[in-house]
Amino acid sequence: MLMDENKQNKENFEMSNNKPQDTQAPKPQENEETMENIFEQYIADDIRRGKVVEGVIVDATDGGWLVDVGFKVEGFLPKNEWSQGILVEEKETPQKGETVTVKVVSIKHGEESQLIVSRWRCEFDRRWNELEKHLEQSDIVTVKGLRKVKGGLIVDCLGLEGFIPISHTSEEGKSVNLSKLVGGTFDAKVIEKDRRKRRLVLSRRVILEEERSKLLDEFYGKVSEGDVVEGTVSTVTSFGAFVDLGPIEGLIHNSELSWQKNVNPRDVVSKGDKVSVKVIGIDREKNKISLSLKQLQPDPWESAKEKLSVGDIVKGTVTNVMDFGVFVEVLPGVEGLIHIGDLSWHRIKHPKEVVKKGQTIEVQVLSLDWENKRIGLGLKQLHDPWKNIEERYQVNQDYPVKVVRLTDFGAFVELEQGVEGLIHVSQIARKRVEKPSDVLSIGQEVQARLVDMRPQERRIRLSIAAIEEEKYRKQREEEKKQRMAEQAKSKPQFASDEDNVSVTIGDILGDFLK
């Protein structure tokens, strides 16, 4: 190319100087330039800074290579001018005899002529121009993943290294294994370029989202709530499983995985499983799809109608403990509620005082509402402390009791766990009591007499006053006897010598009591 052009120029130059002359040739002068000097000057004028020329690698040195570009001296191509970071190279160094395109970056004439050339500068310009030309037709380019770097991926974009930030390697909210992109080709969109800074930034996410948007429009156009669709389980979490439906992922919440309560999602499905699911919710604005697996399975409440009856005693597992009661799974997928009032015969502040989650217990079926899918259960009914209570307590007997509640009309006391009775305010003491709290306190233990018991009504009446009254009456009788004994002792004794009769104090007291 340029060397051939220079050779042709030299030949033309010599031919023009070999034409016949009409006059005799002038005598050469001392300052007359030779033909060789004139040609060298011609070539020197053609080789200038910034010019792109072709040359041949003629030799290698410690710092680079020597390149013959047709100049009077060989050009020097430093190693750092062979390539630059943004260029994607097939080979690291040139071979001797290889033709290369270089740009003149420095030239020095004279006795110490010097020519410095660069390959990467003209190569960068060529590749960048190709990129610009391509972008005039389309802003999408096909790139090849080269390597992972901190924060993203380096790709080959028309021979130039481009950077795809990790946030632009996949759709928003999704992640991708960058290693899977290395070595592969895919489309990307240029979102930033700066020729001066040799900066090129691309995005794969933009293209994926544009494609996904089209697929979503098609999906929403043919799928409605209630439809059954096929998908692949993509992720299993603690709260459910995500299913890949193609352009979008849907969520099967734990509550929709199985009729059985508190199941571990990993016990129901695994990543990669092919599943048929029912669409139970579509939120197009937020691109959220709710799915159900259990709704494609038989409803256990239907079969439960044949298995449960009021009064049945069944075993179940505590699935949840709430402030108001406890949920128990009595059949797979069938739960009932034990209200806090049906947990224990004695008063409790919270159900956790009686049972805990996961515990297996026996319960009694108290009510069934198949229409609303509600079952009432009872625990305390299986441990009724009032059963055979007449065998443990009798009327007119005294028992130790514990004060559990105080009201204006009396005090409720506990005879045993689950068995309470009432001491009316009039029976708290012999004397008049205005407020039960003036005499008794919660937690206090006292003796009380059972004065009335009605097991069928679960009612017991007790009295402290009756015990006090009995003690008072006995005390009065003892005092009376003591007074009479003292009176009898103080009376004089009479004796007759004739009859020789002796009278004792006992005889006198006996006559007195008759």
Side-chain angles (χ1 to χ4, degrees):
M1 296 185 39
L2 183 57
M3 290 190 299
D4 294 339
E5 182 183 346
N6 291 340
K7 183 177 181 181
Q8 184 64 40
N9 290 337
K10 183 175 182 180
E11 292 175 354
N12 293 338
F13 182 80
E14 289 175 347
M15 289 177 62
S16 65
N17 283 281
N18 290 332
K19 289 182 179 181
Q21 303 294 326
D22 294 337
T23 59
Q24 290 182 346
K27 295 179 180 180
Q29 299 178 0
E30 294 180 359
N31 60 349
E32 183 178 4
E33 292 182 329
T34 64
M35 184 174 61
E36 190 70 25
N37 291 336
I38 294 173
F39 178 72
E40 289 179 358
Q41 183 63 42
Y42 176 80
I43 294 299
D45 291 340
D46 194 49
I47 301 294
R48 62 188 181 279
R49 183 178 179 185
K51 186 174 179 62
V52 176
V53 297
E54 278 195 352
V56 178
I57 303 293
V58 295
D59 201 2
T61 66
D62 292 339
W65 300 270
L66 296 180
V67 185
D68 181 6
V69 295
F71 190 52
K72 59 184 177 180
V73 294
E74 293 167 337
F76 178 60
L77 174 59
K79 286 184 177 181
N80 62 353
E81 292 294 336
W82 166 255
S83 186
Q84 205 270 346
I86 194 172
L87 299 179
V88 179
E89 302 288 9
E90 295 182 358
K91 55 184 179 179
E92 296 183 357
T93 58
Q95 301 295 320
K96 186 176 180 180
E98 182 179 340
T99 300
V100 294
T101 302
V102 294
K103 177 186 282 189
V104 178
V105 295
S106 177
I107 186 170
K108 185 177 181 181
H109 298 284
E111 294 180 359
E112 297 181 357
S113 297
Q114 189 181 49
L115 183 66
I116 307 296
V117 296
S118 171
R119 172 187 170 273
W120 78 261
R121 298 175 192 274
C122 59
E123 187 66 18
F124 169 76
D125 290 339
R126 182 185 69 80
R127 297 185 190 184
W128 192 275
N129 290 337
E130 286 183 1
L131 174 64
E132 295 280 10
K133 186 177 180 180
H134 177 88
L135 293 178
E136 290 177 1
Q137 304 297 324
S138 173
D139 57 356
I140 297 177
V141 292
T142 300
V143 299
K144 179 180 180 181
L146 294 179
R147 62 186 181 277
K148 294 191 301 180
V149 295
K150 184 178 181 180
L153 182 71
I154 298 297
V155 297
D156 178 356
C157 177
L158 299 179
L160 297 170
E161 283 194 358
F163 175 66
I164 301 181
I166 193 168
S167 60
H168 281 268
T169 55
S170 60
E171 297 175 57
E172 187 174 2
K174 294 186 177 181
S175 60
V176 64
N177 187 346
L178 296 183
S179 299
K180 293 183 178 181
L181 297 178
V182 175
T185 57
F186 51 89
D187 289 339
K189 192 171 186 177
V190 176
I191 57 175
E192 182 184 343
K193 58 185 177 68
D194 190 323
R195 184 168 189 158
R196 184 178 62 83
K197 295 181 179 180
R198 299 187 291 278
R199 177 178 173 83
L200 184 60
V201 183
L202 304 98
S203 173
R204 178 173 176 258
R205 186 184 77 187
V206 174
I207 295 177
L208 294 175
E209 290 181 345
E210 288 176 354
E211 294 175 351
R212 180 170 177 263
S213 180
K214 295 178 182 178
L215 294 174
L216 278 175
D217 290 338
E218 295 178 5
F219 178 85
Y220 288 130
K222 62 183 181 181
V223 176
S224 304
E225 287 188 22
D227 290 350
V228 177
V229 294
E230 303 289 329
T232 304
V233 177
S234 57
T235 309
V236 181
T237 69
S238 59
F239 55 85
F242 287 95
V243 179
D244 185 359
L245 302 176
I248 191 172
E249 284 190 343
L251 172 65
I252 310 175
H253 190 267
N254 280 351
S255 59
E256 293 296 329
L257 277 170
S258 170
W259 289 103
Q260 191 172 354
K261 301 297 181 180
N262 295 331
V263 296
N264 185 339
R266 290 175 176 81
D267 294 336
V268 182
V269 293
S270 301
K271 184 176 180 180
D273 286 353
K274 303 291 184 181
V275 293
S276 294
V277 289
K278 185 176 181 179
V279 179
I280 60 174
I282 296 178
D283 187 340
R284 187 164 184 174
E285 184 178 346
K286 296 181 179 179
N287 278 331
K288 290 185 176 180
I289 305 293
S290 298
L291 306 171
S292 176
L293 191 62
K294 77 175 186 180
Q295 292 190 24
L296 298 181
Q297 302 168 354
D299 188 347
W301 283 86
E302 293 299 321
S303 59
K305 293 179 181 179
E306 302 175 358
K307 299 177 181 178
L308 296 177
S309 301
V310 173
D312 287 352
I313 297 174
V314 295
K315 281 188 177 182
T317 302
V318 177
T319 58
N320 210 351
V321 179
M322 309 295 289
D323 292 341
F324 54 85
V326 175
F327 288 95
V328 180
E329 187 176 50
V330 292
L331 292 172
V334 179
E335 275 188 341
L337 172 67
I338 307 176
H339 189 270
I340 188 172
D342 288 312
L343 277 171
S344 174
W345 290 104
H346 69 283
R347 292 181 177 270
I348 58 174
K349 293 182 179 179
H350 196 279
K352 64 183 179 182
E353 297 176 25
V354 181
V355 295
K356 60 182 179 180
K357 188 175 181 179
Q359 182 179 348
T360 300
I361 57 176
E362 268 194 338
V363 293
Q364 186 173 26
V365 179
L366 303 181
S367 63
L368 293 169
D369 183 350
W370 298 118
E371 184 177 352
N372 296 309
K373 294 184 176 180
R374 292 180 178 178
I375 298 177
L377 302 173
L379 179 65
K380 74 178 185 180
Q381 286 76 6
L382 300 182
H383 310 280
D384 189 355
W386 287 84
K387 187 177 181 180
N388 301 323
I389 195 170
E390 300 95 330
E391 298 177 3
R392 303 192 302 276
Y393 300 98
Q394 289 81 38
V395 175
N396 292 325
Q397 295 296 316
D398 298 343
Y399 300 98
V401 296
K402 183 179 180 180
V403 179
V404 291
R405 293 192 313 283
L406 294 174
T407 66
D408 292 338
F409 57 84
F412 286 93
V413 295
E414 184 182 66
L415 287 87
E416 64 178 66
Q417 192 172 28
V419 178
E420 290 184 2
L422 172 66
I423 303 177
H424 192 267
V425 64
S426 62
Q427 297 297 316
I428 290 178
R430 286 182 63 252
K431 298 180 180 180
R432 180 180 178 81
V433 176
E434 295 293 335
K435 293 181 180 180
S437 57
D438 293 340
V439 180
L440 300 174
S441 59
I442 294 176
Q444 182 179 354
E445 294 185 354
V446 295
Q447 286 286 123
R449 179 166 295 172
L450 197 155
V451 295
D452 186 26
M453 182 169 62
R454 302 177 186 179
Q456 292 181 346
E457 299 177 15
R458 296 182 185 273
R459 289 185 179 181
I460 292 178
R461 289 192 303 113
L462 301 104
S463 173
I464 299 175
I467 297 176
E468 292 181 350
E469 185 65 33
E470 183 178 347
K471 288 181 179 179
Y472 178 74
R473 186 171 62 253
K474 288 182 177 180
Q475 182 180 355
R476 291 292 302 273
E477 290 178 355
E478 286 295 328
E479 291 176 353
K480 183 177 180 180
K481 289 178 179 181
Q482 290 179 5
R483 287 198 303 271
M484 293 178 66
E486 291 175 358
Q487 290 175 2
K489 188 184 293 187
S490 61
K491 287 183 178 182
Q493 297 183 0
F494 300 96
S496 174
D497 293 337
E498 296 180 350
D499 300 328
N500 195 25
V501 178
S502 65
V503 180
T504 65
I505 295 177
D507 295 333
I508 298 173
L509 186 59
D511 293 337
F512 179 81
L513 293 175
K514 287 181 180 180

